[in-house]
Amino acid sequence: MNPIVDGRRSSSKRWVVVIGLLLVLIPSCAPPAHAQARLVVRDSLGLSGINLTCPLLGCNVVRGLGDPQGQLFLVTFPSILNPLTALLKLNLQLGIVDAEIDQVVNTQGAYAGPAPSYLTDEKPTSYYGATVWHGYVAQPANQLIRTSSTQSTFHVTGSGVTVAVIDTGVDPTNPVLQKLLVSGYDFTRNTNGGSEKSDVSTTPDLSQPQTAQVNQRTVAVLDQRTVAVLDGSQYSAFGHGTMTAGIVHLVAPQARIMPLKSFKADGTGYDSDILRAIYYAVKNGAKVLNMSFDYPNYSPELANAIKYANSNGVISVASAGNDGQQVAVYPGALPSVIDVASTSNSDIQSVFTNYGAPPVWIAAPGEGVMTTYPWGTYAAGWGTSFSAPFVSGTAALMLGTNGNCTSSNVASGLAHAASISNPQLGYGRLDTYRAVQACH
């Protein structure tokens, strides 16, 4: 055997695969012609290596992305350079392990139904140190998964666990959530905090609120003027992060919530900011990741980040997507990620949910889910985005004080689910009681 010849053959095959993948990826995730080419690059030589490479190629090192090896960077090329050309030029350089386009990623939404009756059940109710609307606690989704009986029987609340919500941010002044928020970060602005209220300059008048659809997926209790402000594509995902955080809190009321803002109010974010958020979460002690979004294409560096989180005992939960198809989306389809589909309040597979087991591990309610919304009000949401945090909250219960679970048996515990008539939804519909009981 000639090792030199074999090595050349291997290298040749590698480039055939790389070029083939690039030709598939470019049409769907390349930036517009006038924009800079944004690339996520891993350089085994670290910052010193990429700082030597970029002057030779005409690229700019924007920032490191927080990986523990210090090898991952966001790099830009001038708009005149085709992203395919930029990728090929980088991959030929010494020390470059891989490079991928900095994909635009979207939060997930389905089409909202009529406002549920419990959304306007405003009766003040005490809930673990906060006053909430009765409809929030009494809603059908919360009853189905047996949250209340789980908390009281096993004395679990998620205490001692931090859940990182990688999303549009969280309203830091929300009276239900504010005492439970830990220090987060806004990766869209590179500032501390993680507030999504920074995206909107308005203050609603809630003295005479009404239910109204504010975007494709959400019906909120707001005044008409604020609804009119939010009626635009630039705000199509505003509130999404506060809503997912509110569902985590409903299930695990004493879990800490880490707001990691990687998406703008229009629901778009960059791969690079999501990678930064994952590494930030692990570094800062999160034990559960809630990821209510999906990538248009597989990302090797996303897979690396999730693998790193898993190796550090972090549970990764993601939504299965809202295409209504048997299709894999990422990060949900990655190994070790708990992929969550949606069911109705009647335990029927949602029309909009993606399905197929695997990768779907489990389903949870995702239609008309009542939850917290910015400005201290409430909203109902539709989509697997709102199914995933039910599972994230349950994972927090399992890992928290009196939960008796380790990270290695959370997924198997969640598999103790309620049997429903949809075999394409994994182990069935989430049963929080059975999941926690599996660790006792």
Side-chain angles (χ1 to χ4, degrees), residues 114-301:
S117 59
Y118 45 86
L119 180 56
T120 53
D121 181 359
E122 301 182 25
K123 179 182 176 182
T125 302
S126 178
Y127 193 66
Y128 291 91
T131 299
V132 303
W133 289 8
H134 182 256
Y136 173 58
V137 178
Q139 63 177 299
N142 201 37
Q143 303 302 315
L144 275 173
I145 67 170
R146 300 199 286 173
T147 298
S148 179
S149 58
T150 305
Q151 295 163 347
S152 60
T153 300
F154 301 107
H155 307 290
V156 290
T157 60
S159 176
V161 176
T162 297
V163 179
V165 176
I166 302 175
D167 215 296
T168 59
V170 177
D171 176 1
T173 65
N174 186 282
V176 178
L177 303 175
Q178 60 182 348
K179 292 181 180 179
L180 297 161
L181 297 177
V182 299
S183 180
Y185 200 81
D186 182 345
F187 297 97
T188 69
R189 293 182 174 86
N190 293 307
T191 59
N192 292 322
S195 170
E196 68 178 330
K197 287 178 70 175
S198 305
D199 293 330
V200 176
S201 57
T202 187
T203 303
D205 176 6
L206 297 176
S207 61
Q208 292 183 314
Q210 62 183 33
T211 57
Q213 186 165 344
V214 293
N215 56 50
Q216 174 185 314
R217 64 175 72 84
T218 305
V219 175
V221 182
L222 285 171
D223 64 285
Q224 287 184 327
R225 182 182 62 84
T226 306
V227 171
V229 169
L230 298 178
D231 186 21
S233 60
Q234 70 270 36
Y235 301 124
S236 60
F238 178 75
H240 193 272
T242 301
M243 293 174 73
T244 56
I247 299 168
V248 171
H249 172 68
L250 179 63
V251 180
Q254 292 187 324
R256 297 289 179 175
I257 294 172
M258 181 186 292
L260 300 179
K261 181 173 170 57
S262 298
F263 294 84
K264 297 183 292 184
D266 65 359
T268 64
Y270 281 110
D271 171 32
S272 55
D273 287 337
I274 293 166
L275 296 175
R276 294 168 73 196
I278 293 171
Y279 288 120
Y280 180 101
V282 177
K283 181 180 179 180
N284 288 278
K287 287 302 176 187
V288 182
L289 302 177
N290 188 83
M291 299 177 287
S292 293
F293 53 82
D294 64 40
Y295 275 55
N297 297 286
Y298 173 80
S299 161
E301 285 301 340

Side-chain angles (χ1 to χ4, degrees), residues 280-418:
Y280 180 101
V282 177
K283 181 180 179 180
N284 288 278
K287 287 302 176 187
V288 182
L289 302 177
N290 188 83
M291 299 177 287
S292 293
F293 53 82
D294 64 40
Y295 275 55
N297 297 286
Y298 173 80
S299 161
E301 285 301 340
L302 175 65
N304 286 338
I306 294 295
K307 184 178 180 180
Y308 173 74
N310 185 59
S311 70
N312 281 271
V314 179
I315 304 300
S316 299
V317 180
S319 42
N322 303 317
D323 308 301
Q325 300 176 18
Q326 185 170 356
V327 61
V329 300
Y330 302 97
L334 292 172
S336 79
V337 175
I338 299 169
D339 192 30
V340 187
S342 172
T343 51
S344 71
N345 291 334
S346 301
D347 270 346
I348 303 299
Q349 178 176 314
S350 297
V351 172
F352 55 75
T353 190
N354 289 345
Y355 54 92
V360 170
W361 186 260
I362 197 171
E367 298 186 25
V369 178
M370 181 176 174
T371 182
T372 51
Y373 195 76
W375 305 300
T377 187
Y378 290 81
W382 282 255
T384 57
S385 278
F386 308 116
S387 304
F390 278 115
V391 176
S392 296
T394 302
L397 292 183
M398 298 169 77
L399 292 171
T401 306
N402 297 326
N404 295 337
C405 270
T406 63
S407 60
S408 62
N409 56 21
V410 166
S412 59
L414 289 167
H416 293 265

Side-chain angles (χ1 to χ4, degrees), residues 59-81:
C59 57
N60 176 53
V61 181
V62 179
R63 66 177 64 92
L65 300 184
D67 68 306
Q69 297 86 14
Q71 297 179 352
L72 201 60
F73 305 94
L74 172 62
V75 168
T76 59
F77 278 85
S79 57
I80 58 172
L81 192 64

Side-chain angles (χ1 to χ4, degrees), residues 21-31 101 103-104 296-297:
L21 285 172
L22 293 178
L23 291 173
V24 170
L25 289 174
I26 291 298
S28 59
C29 57
I101 292 171
Q103 299 182 49
V104 175
N297 297 286

